[in-house]
């Protein structure tokens, strides 16, 4: 028998054989396609606690039965960030395993809440838009509407619309207008207010008071959170794989050496959940309502530290419980060089001070 493990022979064999490909390229998606994702995942207590502990989401209602009961839950529920990350993770093999960067997401909602551990997740996605990238000929831009359902009841537990850059099989000619606009628009951005106000505490009333104070002056309610989380092998590779996220961006250093990031990068949902964990540690969260206009601005890699900045946009008395009001925040995750890496708006019910 031929000794195929002789290095020269093996190199020739590797060049000549077909590669059994994984994932899809831009050309494989068409508007209106519906994809039922084969991987499923049971939302376990272990998965939930691993996600929450590593992203510093330590709200006791998700960890302790007494704290859960006090917040109206039957038991510590599945954290919405873990549910969102698991819903997306299951879709990766079909949608983004080829190596497309996660650019943004909007309309993240939880129609059936709370969700408890032991629930089996079944996920489907519909292609809602396929666009040419005007700046990157080797990529297209694809958006999908995704729904994560309870496999037993069919209830939608988490839904959102996500956009990724997806590699093309064949690069196309582009007009380069995206890159040109970015270089030459000369826009310095909006001016900052004269003053920044931080709420005194983390209750609903603290946000209302701070917004009222800001209204009287040229001020904004905005502050940074002290905690940071340096990215390591667990956050970069283990957490995405625990959600069945097979994107090579998170665990294949060899392939990623030749990519725009040059190395493996943190799963967008880890970056975002970590920043949200920092923000939540400075507030009295009651329930998560939803997330919009999420964008990933630049890569986060092993050794980078994820910090968070919060701007309070609005506070309204209406909420699902009299114990809470509703607050809309803009959260910005940033790195050790103060570069924004993620931004998005979040609407959450925040507990009122008890009388
Ligand atoms: C990915 C980048 C390196 C691209 O940078 P750059 O080339 O400078 O271009 P732009 O950032 O302007 O964007 C490229 C085109 O994409 C469009 N875009 C950008 N954001 C959105 C959005 N939210 N929705 C729709 N379209 C968007 C721009 O308009 C550009 O279009 P065009 O001009 O026509 O070409 C850089 O953006 C970057 O580094 N981003 C961070 C990416 C990242 O780190 N994501 C998280 C990690 S990857 C991941 O989590 C994968 C995940 O597992 C999964 O599988 O999804």
């Amino acid at each position: 028998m031929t000794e195929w493990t002789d290095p020269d022979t093996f190199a020739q064999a590797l060049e000549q054989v077909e590669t059994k490909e994984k994932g899809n390229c831009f050309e494989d998606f068409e508007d209106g396609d519906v994809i039922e994702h084969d991987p499923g995942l049971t939302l376990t207590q272990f998965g939930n606690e691993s996600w929450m502990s590593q992203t510093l989401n330590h709200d006791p209602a998700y960890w302790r039965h007494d704290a859960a009961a006090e917040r109206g839950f039957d038991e510590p529920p599945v954290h919405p960030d873990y549910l969102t990350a698991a819903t997306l993770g299951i879709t990766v093999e079909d949608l983004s395993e080829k190596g497309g960067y996660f650019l943004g997401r909007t309309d993240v909602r939880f129609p059936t809440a709370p969700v408890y551990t032991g629930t089996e997740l079944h996920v489907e996605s519909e292609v809602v838009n396929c666009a040419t990238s005007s700046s990157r000929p080797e990529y297209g831009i694809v958006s999908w509407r995704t729904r994560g359902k309870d496999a037993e009841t069919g209830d939608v537990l988490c839904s959102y619309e996500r956009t990724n850059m997806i590699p093309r099989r064949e690069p196309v000619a582009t007009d380069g207008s995206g890159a040109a606009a970015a270089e030459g628009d000369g826009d310095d951005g909006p001016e900052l207010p004269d003053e920044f106000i931080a709420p005194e505490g983390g209750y609903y009333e603290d946000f209302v008071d701070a917004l009222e104070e800001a209204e009287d002056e040229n001020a904004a309610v905005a502050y940074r959170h002290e905690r940071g989380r340096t990215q390591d092998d667990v956050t970069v590779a283990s957490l995405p794989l625990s959600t069945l996220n097979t994107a090579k961006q998170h665990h294949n250093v060899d392939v990623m050496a030749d990519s725009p990031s040059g190395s493996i990068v943190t799963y967008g949902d880890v970056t975002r959940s970590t920043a949200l964990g920092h923000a939540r540690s400075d507030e009295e969260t009651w329930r998560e309502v939803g997330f919009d206009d999420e964008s990933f601005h630049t890569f986060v890699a092993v050794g980078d530290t994820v910090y968070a900045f919060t701007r309070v946009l609005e506070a309204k008395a209406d909420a699902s419980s009299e114990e809470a009001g509703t607050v809309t925040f803009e959260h910005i995750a940033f790195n050790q060089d103060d570069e924004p890496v993620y931004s998005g708006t979040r609407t959450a019910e925040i507990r009122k001070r008890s009388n």
Side-chain angles (χ1 to χ4, degrees), residues 88 92 95-97 100-105 132-136 141 143-144 162-165 177-179 182 240 245 247 249-250 260 265-269 271 294-300 341:
L88 196 155
V92 168
L95 306 188
S96 48
E97 175 157 348
Y101 294 103
F102 182 10
L103 293 174
R105 185 172 49 195
T132 293
S133 164
S134 56
S135 57
R136 292 187 172 252
I141 298 171
S143 302
W144 308 271
R162 157 165 82 119
T163 300
N164 275 51
M165 255 172 39
S177 61
N245 180 337
Q249 288 105 309
H250 314 308
V265 298
T266 305
Y267 174 21
D269 266 327
T271 303
E294 298 192 292
S295 272
F296 294 95
H297 304 281
T298 194
F299 305 118
V300 175
V341 295

Side-chain angles (χ1 to χ4, degrees), residues 154-174:
D155 293 338
V156 178
L157 310 178
C158 173
S159 66
Y160 57 77
E161 189 175 313
R162 157 165 82 119
T163 300
N164 275 51
M165 255 172 39
I166 297 295
R168 289 177 176 271
R169 283 188 208 290
E170 297 296 335
V172 289
T174 66

Side-chain angles (χ1 to χ4, degrees), residues 170-344:
E170 297 296 335
V172 289
T174 66
D175 60 9
S177 61
E183 273 168 27
D185 59 14
D187 182 2
D188 293 334
E191 277 194 18
L192 290 171
D194 293 339
E195 205 191 325
F196 296 98
I197 295 169
E200 296 237 323
Y203 287 95
Y204 171 71
E205 292 84 346
D206 296 311
F207 295 110
V208 173
D209 291 350
L211 283 169
E212 279 175 7
E213 191 185 334
E215 231 174 48
D216 298 338
E217 352 217 338
N218 180 12
V221 182
Y223 45 101
R224 61 191 287 176
H225 306 275
E226 184 174 357
R227 283 184 179 158
R229 169 72 162 103
T230 302
Q231 300 301 290
D232 54 25
D233 289 346
V234 172
T235 54
V236 174
S238 302
L239 284 188
L241 285 170
S242 74
T243 67
L244 311 188
N245 180 337
T246 48
K248 56 191 70 158
Q249 288 105 309
H250 314 308
H251 62 267
N252 190 332
V253 174
D254 181 33
V255 168
M256 292 306 290
D258 213 14
S259 73
S261 56
S263 182
I264 54 172
V265 298
T266 305
Y267 174 21
D269 266 327
V270 171
T271 303
R272 159 251 199 215
S273 186
T274 303
L276 297 178
H278 298 335
R280 291 176 182 123
S281 74
D282 290 323
E283 69 181 41
E284 299 293 328
T285 321
W286 179 261
R287 294 279 190 281
E288 294 295 330
V289 177
F291 301 84
D292 290 285
D293 303 321
E294 298 192 292
S295 272
F296 294 95
H297 304 281
T298 194
F299 305 118
V300 175
V302 173
D304 285 342
T305 302
V306 174
Y307 293 101
F309 176 100
T310 293
R311 185 172 162 200
V312 183
L313 302 178
E314 192 178 38
K316 285 185 183 164
D318 286 357
S320 64
S321 160
E322 292 201 341
E323 304 222 31
T326 303
V327 181
T328 303
F329 302 93
E330 179 183 21
H331 297 294
I332 300 174
F334 62 99
N335 64 19
Q336 64 283 356
D337 300 320
D338 296 347
E339 287 173 303
V341 295
Y342 158 90
S343 63

